[in-house]
């Protein structure tokens, strides 16, 4: 099982120097991947009907994951970049194909593209995208991306995207992994049909374990082997951060459950400034190395 870290964008407040230091230090400490979350805009939760789900609002800072990964590609050598997850239906598929191909090329094949349908109606309205169609759009986009990355010349006539005998150049030199994320049955089925793995929003809570059990069931029904299908969990509990012991115990439980990746979550611990976050991930790595021997 590979261990990574989630970038603590809330506490580090959009500081690009903090992003660079955190990523390079995480790589130096031996973490395998860096996860960035995605929201294009922040929206106020007040007087919304229906209400907006989630804890992020109009003051929550986010870097664009693809821009950040391009920046970090030149500053790091080994660590994998993971969008956890990119709200793909908000974006033009051809443009994402161009951006992700370049990130993968410039990083030496270190991009893992996590994608999801999104949940914030305000973002979709602001981007001029129909919220109700996001699931269908995402399903179409995944197949379209794979063709744009791999074929020399394509024509495509989908419900949402079209291209007439064209493609991006240069293309990636490998098959960029696409992992799905989400919480609903539709997300699980989409992942089984189209993806290389699944990104769970939490780590040790029962919904995540139930979701992993359901995914394994759907993989078996579809005749897909579990071997080669990834499962990433975040070591985070809503409202109450895990203790260090819960983290190390949880990693053992996740490994026993067949998880392939786990990501340390440092937000919500009262850590202010990049130095305190770095000290924390350094201390956890020492404990993890002992626990996983």
């Amino acid at each position: 099982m590979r261990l990574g870290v989630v970038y603590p964008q809330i506490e580090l407040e959009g500081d690009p120097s903090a992003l660079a230091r955190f990523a390079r230090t995480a790589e130096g400490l031996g973490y395998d991947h860096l996860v960035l979350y995605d929201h294009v805009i922040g929206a106020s939760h007040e007087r919304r009907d229906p209400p907006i789900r989630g804890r992020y609002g109009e003051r929550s800072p986010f870097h664009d994951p693809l821009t950040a990964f391009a920046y970090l590609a030149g500053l790091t050598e080994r660590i994998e970049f993971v969008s956890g997850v990119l709200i793909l239906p908000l974006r033009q598929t051809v443009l994402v194909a161009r951006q992700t191909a370049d990130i993968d090329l410039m990083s030496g094949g270190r991009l893992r593209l996590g994608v999801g349908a999104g949940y914030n109606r305000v973002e979709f309205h602001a981007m001029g995208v129909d919220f109700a169609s996001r699931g269908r759009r995402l399903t179409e986009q995944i197949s379209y991306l794979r063709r744009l990355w791999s074929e020399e010349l394509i024509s495509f006539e989908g419900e949402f995207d079209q291209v007439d005998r064209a493609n991006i150049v240069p293309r990636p030199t490998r098959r960029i992994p696409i992992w799905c994320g989400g919480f609903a049955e539709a997300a699980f089925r989409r992942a089984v049909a189209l993806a290389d793995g699944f990104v769970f929003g939490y780590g040790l809570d029962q919904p995540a374990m139930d979701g992993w059990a359901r995914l394994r069931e759907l993989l078996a029904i579809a005749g897909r082997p579990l071997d080669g299908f990834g499962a990433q969990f975040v070591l985070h509990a809503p409202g109450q951060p895990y203790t260090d012991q819960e983290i190390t115990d949880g990693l053992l439980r996740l490994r026993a459950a067949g998880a392939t990746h786990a990501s340390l979550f440092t937000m919500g611990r009262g850590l202010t400034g990049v130095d305190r976050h770095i000290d924390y991930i350094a201390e956890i790595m020492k404990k993890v190395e002992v626990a996983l021997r």
Side-chain angles (χ1 to χ4, degrees):
M1 185 173 63
R2 301 178 72 82
L3 181 63
V5 285
V6 176
Y7 182 66
Q9 86 278 352
I10 298 298
E11 280 90 343
L12 300 187
E13 300 179 340
D15 179 359
S17 65
L19 173 65
R21 281 194 61 203
F22 188 87
R24 286 186 295 210
T25 303
E27 179 176 70
L29 290 169
Y31 285 94
D32 295 305
H33 59 268
L34 175 70
V35 179
L36 261 69
Y37 292 162
D38 176 44
H39 280 289
V40 177
I41 61 170
S44 170
H45 286 244
E46 291 190 15
R47 297 188 297 278
R48 297 284 187 188
D49 187 19
I52 301 173
R53 294 192 295 114
R55 62 186 179 277
Y56 301 117
E58 72 275 19
R59 294 183 178 85
S60 302
F62 283 86
H63 295 293
D64 174 73
L66 300 183
T67 304
F69 292 156
Y71 169 61
L72 295 175
L75 300 176
T76 57
E77 297 179 353
R78 180 192 57 81
I79 200 163
E80 183 184 34
F81 304 128
V82 184
S83 53
V85 292
L86 192 77
I87 307 169
L88 190 56
L90 287 176
R91 294 165 165 88
Q92 295 169 312
T93 317
V94 170
L95 182 57
V96 172
R98 173 70 279 145
Q99 292 169 320
T100 51
D102 281 340
I103 292 168
D104 204 62
L105 288 166
M106 294 173 187
S107 67
R110 289 189 281 141
L111 176 65
R112 176 155 46 97
L113 185 64
V115 298
Y119 62 82
N120 190 330
R121 292 175 181 270
V122 178
E123 278 190 290
F124 279 80
H125 179 258
M127 297 289 286
V129 179
D130 176 37
F131 181 74
S133 68
R134 68 196 188 283
R136 301 196 317 277
R137 186 183 297 269
L138 174 58
T139 296
E140 179 179 294
Q141 287 177 296
I142 293 172
S143 299
Y144 188 27
L145 274 175
R146 292 203 193 280
R147 292 192 62 190
L148 289 164
W149 287 333
S150 62
E151 297 182 26
E152 183 174 338
L153 190 68
I154 71 170
S155 293
F156 184 85
E157 190 70 32
E159 180 182 359
F160 305 100
D161 283 307
Q162 299 82 37
V163 67
D164 179 18
R165 295 162 296 162
N167 206 352
I168 61 169
V169 182
R171 290 178 292 280
T173 57
R174 62 164 195 147
R175 187 180 189 273
I176 298 174
I178 298 179
W179 289 32
C180 285
F183 300 92
E185 175 77 7
F188 299 151
R189 292 184 177 275
R190 185 179 298 113
V192 168
L194 298 171
D196 302 302
F198 199 86
V199 179
F200 290 92
Y202 298 118
L204 304 176
D205 61 332
Q206 197 57 46
M209 293 296 100
D210 291 345
W212 180 220
R214 178 57 176 158
L215 263 172
R216 295 198 303 270
E217 179 183 20
L218 290 170
L219 286 165
I221 292 170
R224 282 193 66 177
L226 183 59
D227 185 32
F229 188 90
Q232 177 174 303
F233 295 82
V234 180
L235 294 166
H236 168 57
Q240 181 60 49
Y242 292 137
T243 65
D244 293 359
Q245 188 63 51
E246 286 174 329
I247 289 171
T248 53
D249 290 348
L251 286 170
L252 295 173
R253 287 174 54 197
L254 289 172
R255 186 169 66 176
T260 59
H261 297 70
S263 306
L264 183 63
F265 188 93
T266 67
M267 287 184 279
R269 295 181 172 276
L271 304 174
T272 55
V274 66
D275 289 329
R276 293 191 64 191
H277 284 273
I278 285 173
D279 289 345
Y280 180 73
I281 65 173
E283 185 62 31
I284 290 296
M285 180 54 81
K286 293 177 184 177
K287 297 180 179 181
V288 166
E289 288 172 343
V290 173
L292 297 184
R293 281 176 185 166

